[in-house]
Amino acid sequence: MINFLSFFITGLLAGSVCSCPPARNSVRRYDEGLEIVRSNNIRRDNRGISTPKKIAITNVRVFDGEKLLPIGTVFIAGGVIVPNAEGAEVVDGNGGVLLSGLIDAHAHPRLVEHLESFASYGVTTVIVAACFPAAICTSLTNHAGLTDVRFAGLSATTPNSTHALMLGLLSNETITSASQAPAFVADQLATGATFIKLIAERPDSATTLDQATMNALVRAAHASQLRVACHAVDHTAVDRALTARVDQAHHVPTDTPLDAPLLARFVAQRTISVPTLSIFAAFLAAGQIDAAGYAAASASAGRLATAGVPVLAGTDANDFPAPFTLPFGSSLHAELERLVAAGLSSVEALRSATVLAAKHNRLFDRGVVAPGMRADLLLISGDPIANISATRNIQRVWIAGVEYAGVASN
């Protein structure tokens, strides 16, 4: 089934031929989408709901968002972290490290099975960057004991853009002028969207959103108290995203690394970055970008962090057919490793998938291990500050205080 990745490549490669499948028929897309929605909803209805237990996780070192605390105990009751819990079941942490559940700030799950994969790797929240049709996003919400979902709904793009043509979007799912921005935002808000996604395609394309429409979308979203994320994979697209004053720039340029003037604007406007280096690594492995392209992306991520721009860990995980498939869950651990290789410290990388990802996605009930917070927890072996790859050494995972049984082995 066609996925976001199929047309993303066109935005990456100015002047090259896209390895994209032909556009899908809109009716077929809706038939497929409705079947996915039906299946996901059945899975939710038939899923047993486990009552969170009182738990005392002993013999653990907590990552508090800055450092590892001395060996201690963390209590859970009613799905949240509490100061104490009388009569709690004791779980020996074996001297491991307890992290807040990881957050993937950019992914494209469609199926309940994708949420299960996230959960198995300790990714307890996922920000879904787009769903086509939007009802798929809704069908992924409120699956007790599985990864929690926040989503954008449909991405804002024009009728003849690469994105619209590849997905077979209907005319009422696209936007052609600034005057339509309030209605587009209202439509996404009605589906349950918690942020708005814009697409800035190749700057030389006549079918990309014009600057006035991008500006209007941001104004309309902000008027509805919604954040705005913008797909921008080249230098000029990032410039346009910042001109529109988006809240988050998703992806980084592969043409040239971000320069000092753009970095200064990120800082001045308090714009967040979600580099998604893992998808660029997938493109590199598939020969869709060269080593210089990946180096530009990696350099941009490092420069953003050095400049003090908040960097969030996102993957662009998807189920598009090989060679562009990016696995759900495991790819976030790879993303942390790539961020460290790009120049972030291990603490900065851990923060990118925990406290910062929660803060900048307005998830104020999670992201740190502290009383009153949602009991989304990842217990690992080893020291992730000394070696970021230790996040892969998963012992146990809890989602809202309910232990997930099928954790990944690495």
Side-chain angles (χ1 to χ4, degrees), residues 44 47-52 112 115-116 118-120 123-124 142-148 374 376 397-406:
R44 183 200 295 111
R47 188 175 184 83
I49 299 176
S50 299
T51 302
V112 173
L115 301 186
E116 292 171 340
F118 276 122
S120 72
V123 181
T124 57
N142 300 316
H143 287 265
L146 288 182
T147 297
D148 195 27
R374 178 177 158 110
D376 289 348
V397 172
W398 290 268
I399 301 175
V402 176
E403 185 166 6
Y404 186 75

mmCIF file of all heavy atoms in Angstrom, residues 44 47-52 112 115-116 118-120 123-124 142-148 374 376 397-406:
data_model
loop_
_atom_site.group_PDB
_atom_site.id
_atom_site.type_symbol
_atom_site.label_atom_id
_atom_site.label_comp_id
_atom_site.label_asym_id
_atom_site.label_seq_id
_atom_site.Cartn_x
_atom_site.Cartn_y
_atom_site.Cartn_z
ATOM 1 N N ARG A 44 -9.579 -2.841 19.079
ATOM 2 C CA ARG A 44 -9.773 -2.072 20.306
ATOM 3 C C ARG A 44 -10.946 -2.641 21.113
ATOM 4 O O ARG A 44 -10.854 -2.840 22.326
ATOM 5 C CB ARG A 44 -10.050 -0.607 20.001
ATOM 6 C CG ARG A 44 -10.183 0.244 21.277
ATOM 7 C CD ARG A 44 -10.904 1.553 21.052
ATOM 8 N NE ARG A 44 -10.176 2.452 20.176
ATOM 9 C CZ ARG A 44 -10.569 2.777 18.948
ATOM 10 N NH1 ARG A 44 -11.671 2.241 18.438
ATOM 11 N NH2 ARG A 44 -9.875 3.619 18.236
ATOM 12 N N ARG A 47 -10.087 -5.892 22.822
ATOM 13 C CA ARG A 47 -8.882 -5.933 23.649
ATOM 14 C C ARG A 47 -9.262 -5.904 25.122
ATOM 15 O O ARG A 47 -10.023 -5.052 25.567
ATOM 16 C CB ARG A 47 -7.985 -4.740 23.313
ATOM 17 C CG ARG A 47 -6.617 -4.812 23.999
ATOM 18 C CD ARG A 47 -5.716 -3.681 23.532
ATOM 19 N NE ARG A 47 -4.390 -3.830 24.115
ATOM 20 C CZ ARG A 47 -3.449 -4.608 23.638
ATOM 21 N NH1 ARG A 47 -3.686 -5.312 22.533
ATOM 22 N NH2 ARG A 47 -2.272 -4.698 24.219
ATOM 23 N N GLY A 48 -8.739 -6.850 25.877
ATOM 24 C CA GLY A 48 -8.980 -6.852 27.311
ATOM 25 C C GLY A 48 -8.283 -5.677 27.977
ATOM 26 O O GLY A 48 -7.168 -5.313 27.612
ATOM 27 N N ILE A 49 -8.955 -5.054 28.922
ATOM 28 C CA ILE A 49 -8.389 -3.907 29.617
ATOM 29 C C ILE A 49 -7.836 -4.363 30.957
ATOM 30 O O ILE A 49 -8.572 -4.875 31.813
ATOM 31 C CB ILE A 49 -9.449 -2.810 29.822
ATOM 32 C CG1 ILE A 49 -9.968 -2.326 28.466
ATOM 33 C CG2 ILE A 49 -8.862 -1.648 30.617
ATOM 34 C CD1 ILE A 49 -11.080 -1.309 28.575
ATOM 35 N N SER A 50 -6.544 -4.220 31.130
ATOM 36 C CA SER A 50 -5.899 -4.617 32.372
ATOM 37 C C SER A 50 -5.935 -3.455 33.364
ATOM 38 O O SER A 50 -5.709 -2.303 32.994
ATOM 39 C CB SER A 50 -4.437 -5.017 32.122
ATOM 40 O OG SER A 50 -4.379 -6.119 31.230
ATOM 41 N N THR A 51 -6.224 -3.767 34.593
ATOM 42 C CA THR A 51 -6.217 -2.751 35.642
ATOM 43 C C THR A 51 -4.793 -2.539 36.118
ATOM 44 O O THR A 51 -4.104 -3.502 36.464
ATOM 45 C CB THR A 51 -7.089 -3.194 36.823
ATOM 46 O OG1 THR A 51 -8.423 -3.436 36.358
ATOM 47 C CG2 THR A 51 -7.116 -2.122 37.912
ATOM 48 N N PRO A 52 -4.329 -1.290 36.124
ATOM 49 C CA PRO A 52 -2.963 -1.043 36.609
ATOM 50 C C PRO A 52 -2.796 -1.521 38.050
ATOM 51 O O PRO A 52 -3.668 -1.307 38.889
ATOM 52 C CB PRO A 52 -2.826 0.481 36.510
ATOM 53 C CG PRO A 52 -3.857 0.901 35.519
ATOM 54 C CD PRO A 52 -4.985 -0.056 35.682
ATOM 55 N N VAL A 112 -2.901 -1.575 14.299
ATOM 56 C CA VAL A 112 -2.679 -1.874 15.712
ATOM 57 C C VAL A 112 -1.368 -2.629 15.879
ATOM 58 O O VAL A 112 -0.645 -2.437 16.859
ATOM 59 C CB VAL A 112 -3.858 -2.666 16.290
ATOM 60 C CG1 VAL A 112 -3.567 -3.123 17.718
ATOM 61 C CG2 VAL A 112 -5.120 -1.813 16.276
ATOM 62 N N LEU A 115 1.394 -0.356 16.586
ATOM 63 C CA LEU A 115 1.447 0.096 17.979
ATOM 64 C C LEU A 115 2.077 -0.974 18.862
ATOM 65 O O LEU A 115 2.826 -0.652 19.798
ATOM 66 C CB LEU A 115 0.041 0.423 18.486
ATOM 67 C CG LEU A 115 -0.745 1.497 17.730
ATOM 68 C CD1 LEU A 115 -2.049 1.798 18.462
ATOM 69 C CD2 LEU A 115 0.079 2.763 17.548
ATOM 70 N N GLU A 116 1.792 -2.230 18.576
ATOM 71 C CA GLU A 116 2.402 -3.315 19.350
ATOM 72 C C GLU A 116 3.910 -3.330 19.164
ATOM 73 O O GLU A 116 4.664 -3.574 20.123
ATOM 74 C CB GLU A 116 1.788 -4.652 18.923
ATOM 75 C CG GLU A 116 0.324 -4.792 19.324
ATOM 76 C CD GLU A 116 -0.347 -6.013 18.723
ATOM 77 O OE1 GLU A 116 0.175 -6.552 17.712
ATOM 78 O OE2 GLU A 116 -1.399 -6.428 19.246
ATOM 79 N N PHE A 118 5.804 -0.688 18.426
ATOM 80 C CA PHE A 118 6.300 0.435 19.220
ATOM 81 C C PHE A 118 6.420 0.047 20.691
ATOM 82 O O PHE A 118 7.447 0.269 21.334
ATOM 83 C CB PHE A 118 5.352 1.631 19.099
ATOM 84 C CG PHE A 118 5.571 2.495 17.898
ATOM 85 C CD1 PHE A 118 4.549 2.704 16.986
ATOM 86 C CD2 PHE A 118 6.783 3.125 17.684
ATOM 87 C CE1 PHE A 118 4.730 3.512 15.878
ATOM 88 C CE2 PHE A 118 6.981 3.941 16.577
ATOM 89 C CZ PHE A 118 5.944 4.129 15.668
ATOM 90 N N ALA A 119 5.347 -0.532 21.236
ATOM 91 C CA ALA A 119 5.324 -0.873 22.660
ATOM 92 C C ALA A 119 6.437 -1.844 23.013
ATOM 93 O O ALA A 119 7.056 -1.739 24.078
ATOM 94 C CB ALA A 119 3.959 -1.453 23.031
ATOM 95 N N SER A 120 6.700 -2.785 22.138
ATOM 96 C CA SER A 120 7.708 -3.804 22.436
ATOM 97 C C SER A 120 9.098 -3.201 22.582
ATOM 98 O O SER A 120 9.962 -3.783 23.229
ATOM 99 C CB SER A 120 7.704 -4.888 21.355
ATOM 100 O OG SER A 120 8.247 -4.413 20.137
ATOM 101 N N VAL A 123 8.609 2.351 23.165
ATOM 102 C CA VAL A 123 8.103 3.609 22.614
ATOM 103 C C VAL A 123 6.632 3.690 23.009
ATOM 104 O O VAL A 123 5.782 3.034 22.408
ATOM 105 C CB VAL A 123 8.274 3.682 21.091
ATOM 106 C CG1 VAL A 123 7.765 5.019 20.556
ATOM 107 C CG2 VAL A 123 9.740 3.479 20.708
ATOM 108 N N THR A 124 6.339 4.467 24.026
ATOM 109 C CA THR A 124 5.010 4.450 24.631
ATOM 110 C C THR A 124 4.098 5.561 24.123
ATOM 111 O O THR A 124 2.906 5.561 24.429
ATOM 112 C CB THR A 124 5.127 4.545 26.162
ATOM 113 O OG1 THR A 124 5.861 5.732 26.497
ATOM 114 C CG2 THR A 124 5.871 3.333 26.722
ATOM 115 N N ASN A 142 -6.650 5.311 21.834
ATOM 116 C CA ASN A 142 -7.336 4.682 22.974
ATOM 117 C C ASN A 142 -7.313 3.155 22.937
ATOM 118 O O ASN A 142 -8.315 2.502 23.254
ATOM 119 C CB ASN A 142 -8.786 5.180 23.061
ATOM 120 C CG ASN A 142 -8.864 6.677 23.236
ATOM 121 O OD1 ASN A 142 -8.120 7.250 24.021
ATOM 122 N ND2 ASN A 142 -9.741 7.318 22.479
ATOM 123 N N HIS A 143 -6.166 2.598 22.594
ATOM 124 C CA HIS A 143 -5.978 1.156 22.690
ATOM 125 C C HIS A 143 -5.277 0.889 24.030
ATOM 126 O O HIS A 143 -4.056 1.068 24.153
ATOM 127 C CB HIS A 143 -5.146 0.627 21.518
ATOM 128 C CG HIS A 143 -5.887 0.600 20.229
ATOM 129 N ND1 HIS A 143 -6.539 -0.520 19.760
ATOM 130 C CD2 HIS A 143 -6.114 1.575 19.306
ATOM 131 C CE1 HIS A 143 -7.119 -0.249 18.597
ATOM 132 N NE2 HIS A 143 -6.876 1.016 18.302
ATOM 133 N N ALA A 144 -6.050 0.486 25.010
ATOM 134 C CA ALA A 144 -5.522 0.322 26.368
ATOM 135 C C ALA A 144 -4.339 -0.637 26.371
ATOM 136 O O ALA A 144 -4.380 -1.702 25.752
ATOM 137 C CB ALA A 144 -6.615 -0.208 27.291
ATOM 138 N N GLY A 145 -3.282 -0.240 27.072
ATOM 139 C CA GLY A 145 -2.102 -1.087 27.193
ATOM 140 C C GLY A 145 -1.158 -1.011 26.020
ATOM 141 O O GLY A 145 -0.134 -1.692 26.002
ATOM 142 N N LEU A 146 -1.479 -0.170 25.010
ATOM 143 C CA LEU A 146 -0.611 -0.005 23.845
ATOM 144 C C LEU A 146 -0.144 1.438 23.734
ATOM 145 O O LEU A 146 -0.648 2.335 24.413
ATOM 146 C CB LEU A 146 -1.341 -0.418 22.563
ATOM 147 C CG LEU A 146 -1.593 -1.906 22.358
ATOM 148 C CD1 LEU A 146 -2.287 -2.132 21.017
ATOM 149 C CD2 LEU A 146 -0.298 -2.695 22.429
ATOM 150 N N THR A 147 0.784 1.657 22.855
ATOM 151 C CA THR A 147 1.364 2.973 22.636
ATOM 152 C C THR A 147 0.288 4.023 22.392
ATOM 153 O O THR A 147 -0.632 3.820 21.588
ATOM 154 C CB THR A 147 2.337 2.906 21.449
ATOM 155 O OG1 THR A 147 3.400 2.016 21.799
ATOM 156 C CG2 THR A 147 2.897 4.271 21.106
ATOM 157 N N ASP A 148 0.407 5.145 23.076
ATOM 158 C CA ASP A 148 -0.538 6.253 22.971
ATOM 159 C C ASP A 148 -0.241 7.064 21.714
ATOM 160 O O ASP A 148 0.924 7.229 21.327
ATOM 161 C CB ASP A 148 -0.412 7.127 24.221
ATOM 162 C CG ASP A 148 -1.574 8.080 24.396
ATOM 163 O OD1 ASP A 148 -2.683 7.768 23.910
ATOM 164 O OD2 ASP A 148 -1.380 9.142 25.018
ATOM 165 N N ARG A 374 2.296 10.182 34.308
ATOM 166 C CA ARG A 374 1.803 8.928 33.752
ATOM 167 C C ARG A 374 2.906 7.875 33.838
ATOM 168 O O ARG A 374 4.076 8.150 33.534
ATOM 169 C CB ARG A 374 1.380 9.169 32.305
ATOM 170 C CG ARG A 374 0.875 7.958 31.533
ATOM 171 C CD ARG A 374 0.436 8.439 30.156
ATOM 172 N NE ARG A 374 0.428 7.347 29.193
ATOM 173 C CZ ARG A 374 -0.680 6.806 28.665
ATOM 174 N NH1 ARG A 374 -1.871 7.262 29.006
ATOM 175 N NH2 ARG A 374 -0.590 5.833 27.779
ATOM 176 N N ASP A 376 4.397 5.651 32.170
ATOM 177 C CA ASP A 376 4.977 5.108 30.947
ATOM 178 C C ASP A 376 6.460 4.955 31.225
ATOM 179 O O ASP A 376 7.182 5.966 31.362
ATOM 180 C CB ASP A 376 4.769 6.060 29.773
ATOM 181 C CG ASP A 376 3.329 6.135 29.298
ATOM 182 O OD1 ASP A 376 2.517 5.293 29.721
ATOM 183 O OD2 ASP A 376 3.024 7.044 28.500
ATOM 184 N N VAL A 397 8.596 -3.012 30.099
ATOM 185 C CA VAL A 397 7.929 -1.798 29.630
ATOM 186 C C VAL A 397 6.572 -1.705 30.316
ATOM 187 O O VAL A 397 5.848 -2.702 30.427
ATOM 188 C CB VAL A 397 7.722 -1.825 28.091
ATOM 189 C CG1 VAL A 397 6.861 -0.651 27.630
ATOM 190 C CG2 VAL A 397 9.066 -1.829 27.367
ATOM 191 N N TRP A 398 6.241 -0.505 30.792
ATOM 192 C CA TRP A 398 4.902 -0.243 31.320
ATOM 193 C C TRP A 398 4.279 0.911 30.549
ATOM 194 O O TRP A 398 4.941 1.895 30.213
ATOM 195 C CB TRP A 398 4.965 0.146 32.796
ATOM 196 C CG TRP A 398 5.343 -0.956 33.722
ATOM 197 C CD1 TRP A 398 4.508 -1.810 34.389
ATOM 198 C CD2 TRP A 398 6.680 -1.338 34.121
ATOM 199 N NE1 TRP A 398 5.223 -2.699 35.161
ATOM 200 C CE2 TRP A 398 6.558 -2.423 35.022
ATOM 201 C CE3 TRP A 398 7.958 -0.856 33.808
ATOM 202 C CZ2 TRP A 398 7.670 -3.031 35.608
ATOM 203 C CZ3 TRP A 398 9.060 -1.457 34.376
ATOM 204 C CH2 TRP A 398 8.910 -2.528 35.264
ATOM 205 N N ILE A 399 2.982 0.782 30.247
ATOM 206 C CA ILE A 399 2.222 1.841 29.574
ATOM 207 C C ILE A 399 1.033 2.176 30.451
ATOM 208 O O ILE A 399 0.156 1.337 30.678
ATOM 209 C CB ILE A 399 1.763 1.397 28.169
ATOM 210 C CG1 ILE A 399 2.979 1.040 27.299
ATOM 211 C CG2 ILE A 399 0.933 2.496 27.516
ATOM 212 C CD1 ILE A 399 2.622 0.486 25.940
ATOM 213 N N ALA A 400 1.016 3.387 30.971
ATOM 214 C CA ALA A 400 -0.010 3.829 31.927
ATOM 215 C C ALA A 400 -0.146 2.821 33.064
ATOM 216 O O ALA A 400 -1.246 2.499 33.513
ATOM 217 C CB ALA A 400 -1.344 4.052 31.236
ATOM 218 N N GLY A 401 0.990 2.323 33.520
ATOM 219 C CA GLY A 401 1.012 1.428 34.670
ATOM 220 C C GLY A 401 0.744 -0.027 34.375
ATOM 221 O O GLY A 401 0.811 -0.870 35.272
ATOM 222 N N VAL A 402 0.442 -0.360 33.115
ATOM 223 C CA VAL A 402 0.180 -1.748 32.719
ATOM 224 C C VAL A 402 1.417 -2.286 32.009
ATOM 225 O O VAL A 402 1.890 -1.694 31.027
ATOM 226 C CB VAL A 402 -1.050 -1.849 31.797
ATOM 227 C CG1 VAL A 402 -1.237 -3.282 31.315
ATOM 228 C CG2 VAL A 402 -2.293 -1.358 32.523
ATOM 229 N N GLU A 403 1.938 -3.395 32.495
ATOM 230 C CA GLU A 403 3.136 -3.952 31.872
ATOM 231 C C GLU A 403 2.807 -4.544 30.514
ATOM 232 O O GLU A 403 1.808 -5.260 30.345
ATOM 233 C CB GLU A 403 3.771 -5.013 32.764
ATOM 234 C CG GLU A 403 5.087 -5.528 32.199
ATOM 235 C CD GLU A 403 5.916 -6.335 33.191
ATOM 236 O OE1 GLU A 403 5.421 -6.602 34.305
ATOM 237 O OE2 GLU A 403 7.063 -6.693 32.830
ATOM 238 N N TYR A 404 3.677 -4.235 29.521
ATOM 239 C CA TYR A 404 3.530 -4.811 28.193
ATOM 240 C C TYR A 404 4.317 -6.116 28.142
ATOM 241 O O TYR A 404 5.520 -6.130 28.418
ATOM 242 C CB TYR A 404 4.027 -3.847 27.116
ATOM 243 C CG TYR A 404 3.752 -4.364 25.732
ATOM 244 C CD1 TYR A 404 2.460 -4.329 25.201
ATOM 245 C CD2 TYR A 404 4.755 -4.926 24.959
ATOM 246 C CE1 TYR A 404 2.179 -4.825 23.947
ATOM 247 C CE2 TYR A 404 4.496 -5.430 23.690
ATOM 248 C CZ TYR A 404 3.200 -5.380 23.194
ATOM 249 O OH TYR A 404 2.926 -5.892 21.955
ATOM 250 N N ALA A 405 3.657 -7.179 27.756
ATOM 251 C CA ALA A 405 4.243 -8.514 27.913
ATOM 252 C C ALA A 405 5.271 -8.848 26.831
ATOM 253 O O ALA A 405 6.200 -9.615 27.072
ATOM 254 C CB ALA A 405 3.135 -9.565 27.904
ATOM 255 N N GLY A 406 5.141 -8.305 25.638
ATOM 256 C CA GLY A 406 5.975 -8.784 24.530
ATOM 257 C C GLY A 406 7.143 -7.895 24.202
ATOM 258 O O GLY A 406 7.295 -7.443 23.060
#
